Amino acid sequence: VTASSPAVETKAQGGAVAFWALMAFTFILLVSPQSFFPVLEPFRLALVSAAFAAGAYLLERFFRREAIGLLTREMAIVAGLVALAILTVPFSYWPGGSVSVLFDIYLKTLVVFWLLGNTVNTLDRLRKVAWGLSLMAVPLALTAVRNSIAGIFIRESIEVKRIDGYGAFLTGNPNDLALMLNLILPLTAALFLIQRRTGGRILLLGMILLNAIAVMLTFSRGGFLTLAVLCLWGIWRLKSWVMRLGAIAAMVFFVFFLGLFSSSYTERLGTIVDIEADPTDSAQWRWKDTLAAVRLVARNPIIGAGMGMNVLALNQEVGASHWNEIHNVYLEYAVDLGLPGLFLFTALLIACLKNASFVRKRCQGVPGLRELFHLAGGIELSLIAFSVAALFYPVGYQFYFYYLAGLAVAVKAIYLNGGADRSLEKQSGFLSTKDRIQPGSYRLLNTEF
């Protein structure tokens, strides 16, 4: 298979309607126009756009009599997670609740994951997704700045004044807002490295700084730690020591400046290492919940409590009606689906990281693959950010990770199937015939309509 073969060209050109419907879904999910125009709420725009994207993609495949999609290692793991969730329903603390989580949240998330892996099939589309997410992050970050200046705080934040979130489904509280901004930030940085025009680089640099400031304004401890890992990882990848020292100095300056602006921010960060100093008791409760979750897994390591039932299991274990979710994605899977669930999710995360790392390493130093190199690096760094943030968030079944996972599947498929300009790569002999084909890794489903 070569980059100019008809099969690759047809695949790369397909799915345009589904792709743009998926972009519309992303906009509705993140920017949430229905929150500003309540008249739109009854139309359920997110569900309609996602269903339209899936329907358009399947119809196109039907009329072209083409296979329905890629069968990859990642999608096989996801199928294993779904099968495990179904098999454990009879043993769930609340079988009806597990079925509701599976159909109302998880399967919808997986549809978007599947669509991303199959419709983002060219470098141009991957670039558009990165630009779209970066631009959508701007109103989120500006809202954080506005809420901080205007003193718009969440009601339950009495001891520590924390800004309100954006108001959308995935960014409704400051912690979720910080998570979303952290996950998008590496993609914006990738676009900055790709951009050659001065005006574009200035714009993207401003967006990066705005996102970083907004994350700190949320007063999210998990958000700060994730941002710190992003900065340090990015600094480590810089080529010169001068650039590294400059980046470190900028990072220290921002934290110091915000600490001067609000002493309560540095005090809150101090509770990361001294949890007993947290006046809100959230750090203490989360530590107790973590220990309780470990005990639950130790007692029931195979079956678990059932998908989404960690709240019931935790409440029963702790013996207090606080009804908290486990703020740790890894423990969330372990408590809900047992160690097999944790193993499958961890395998999926590692596989996605390997995808992005594989493409980044193969494209490094190849002029014709410069854009793909940086975008793969951005996806890899976003996945690293999630792997860190997952220690502090109860978002195992939500879009945060699976959107990035879909992009990780897509970036490897683009590379292997010739969706980027690889003429210079072939001229240099960088890519062997074996690497180009790899039929066992990325192949189409045999099932046709």
Side-chain angles (χ1 to χ4, degrees), residues 219 255-256 258-260 262-272:
F219 278 35
V255 176
F256 178 74
L258 195 58
L260 290 178
S262 174
S263 60
S264 60
Y265 181 63
T266 53
E267 292 174 359
R268 182 167 176 79
L269 293 183
T271 62
I272 295 175

Side-chain angles (χ1 to χ4, degrees), residues 46 52 79 95 100 105 156 171 173 221 226 253-254 270 308 321 370 421:
F52 181 80
S100 178
I105 299 175
E156 59 267 27
T171 53
N173 66 65
R221 291 167 294 200
T226 304
F253 170 78
F254 274 116
S321 299
R370 176 175 171 272
D421 180 10

Side-chain angles (χ1 to χ4, degrees), residues 179 182-183 221-230 233 327-330 349 353 381-393:
L179 173 61
N182 273 328
L183 297 182
R221 291 167 294 200
F224 171 79
L225 290 174
T226 304
L227 180 62
V229 170
L230 281 175
W233 201 282
H327 281 66
N328 185 306
V329 170
Y330 307 107
L349 175 58
L353 281 166
L381 193 51
S382 290
L383 287 167
I384 291 171
F386 181 85
S387 67
V388 174
L391 296 168
F392 314 106
Y393 285 89

Side-chain angles (χ1 to χ4, degrees), residues 23 26-27 30-31 126-142 180-194 200 203-211 375 378 382 403 407:
M23 290 297 292
T26 304
F27 175 82
L30 294 188
V31 180
L126 184 60
R127 189 190 309 112
K128 283 183 170 65
V129 171
W131 267 108
L133 291 173
S134 298
L135 291 173
M136 293 173 204
V138 172
L140 275 61
L142 287 176
M180 183 60 70
L181 292 173
N182 273 328
L183 297 182
I184 295 175
L185 199 152
L187 299 176
T188 309
L191 292 174
F192 171 79
L193 295 172
I194 291 170
L203 172 65
L204 288 163
L205 180 60
M207 293 162 66
I208 291 170
L209 295 177
L210 177 64
N211 277 15
L375 288 171
S382 290
Y403 205 100
L407 293 180

Side-chain angles (χ1 to χ4, degrees), residues 114-368:
W114 169 71
L115 283 171
L116 283 164
N118 285 282
T119 63
V120 184
N121 49 29
T122 66
L123 176 59
D124 180 63
R125 289 184 186 177
L126 184 60
R127 189 190 309 112
K128 283 183 170 65
V129 171
W131 267 108
L133 291 173
S134 298
L135 291 173
M136 293 173 204
V138 172
L140 275 61
L142 287 176
T143 298
V145 175
R146 183 201 65 183
N147 289 350
S148 178
I149 295 174
I152 303 175
F153 304 116
I154 53 179
R155 293 180 179 179
E156 59 267 27
S157 180
I158 300 175
E159 295 85 357
V160 177
K161 292 184 177 181
R162 300 188 63 195
I163 62 170
D164 200 359
Y166 177 75
F169 174 67
L170 296 180
T171 53
N173 66 65
N175 291 330
D176 291 345
L177 178 57
L179 173 61
M180 183 60 70
L181 292 173
N182 273 328
L183 297 182
I184 295 175
L185 199 152
L187 299 176
T188 309
L191 292 174
F192 171 79
L193 295 172
I194 291 170
Q195 184 61 240
R196 296 183 184 275
R197 296 181 180 180
T198 303
R201 291 177 69 87
I202 292 174
L203 172 65
L204 288 163
L205 180 60
M207 293 162 66
I208 291 170
L209 295 177
L210 177 64
N211 277 15
I213 291 172
V215 169
M216 291 189 285
L217 289 175
T218 64
F219 278 35
S220 170
R221 291 167 294 200
F224 171 79
L225 290 174
T226 304
L227 180 62
V229 170
L230 281 175
C231 292
L232 292 174
W233 201 282
I235 290 169
W236 177 73
R237 282 188 179 174
L238 292 175
K239 295 181 179 179
S240 70
W241 280 103
V242 175
M243 296 175 66
R244 291 177 181 176
L245 291 174
I248 292 173
M251 184 175 67
V252 173
F253 170 78
F254 274 116
V255 176
F256 178 74
F257 175 78
L258 195 58
L260 290 178
F261 179 74
S262 174
S263 60
S264 60
Y265 181 63
T266 53
E267 292 174 359
R268 182 167 176 79
L269 293 183
T271 62
I272 295 175
V273 293
D274 184 11
I275 61 175
E276 296 300 328
D278 185 2
T280 67
D281 291 331
S282 66
Q284 294 91 323
W285 270 113
R286 290 186 185 182
W287 178 244
K288 292 177 182 178
D289 291 345
T290 298
L291 296 178
V294 172
R295 292 196 298 269
L296 284 167
V297 176
R299 284 205 307 269
N300 195 9
I302 305 301
I303 301 298
M307 175 167 275
M309 294 303 103
N310 61 86
V311 178
L312 295 179
L314 193 63
N315 187 69
Q316 181 174 315
E317 177 69 19
V318 174
S321 299
H322 64 305
W323 303 106
N324 282 344
E325 295 178 291
I326 296 173
H327 281 66
N328 185 306
V329 170
Y330 307 107
L331 286 175
E332 187 177 8
Y333 274 97
V335 171
D336 286 353
L337 301 178
L339 292 181
L342 174 61
F343 172 79
L344 287 173
F345 174 74
T346 305
L348 177 61
L349 175 58
I350 293 173
C352 291
L353 281 166
K354 285 184 176 180
N355 279 0
S357 177
F358 169 84
V359 177
R360 177 180 60 81
K361 291 176 180 178
R362 288 305 181 96
C363 295
Q364 188 172 9
V366 183

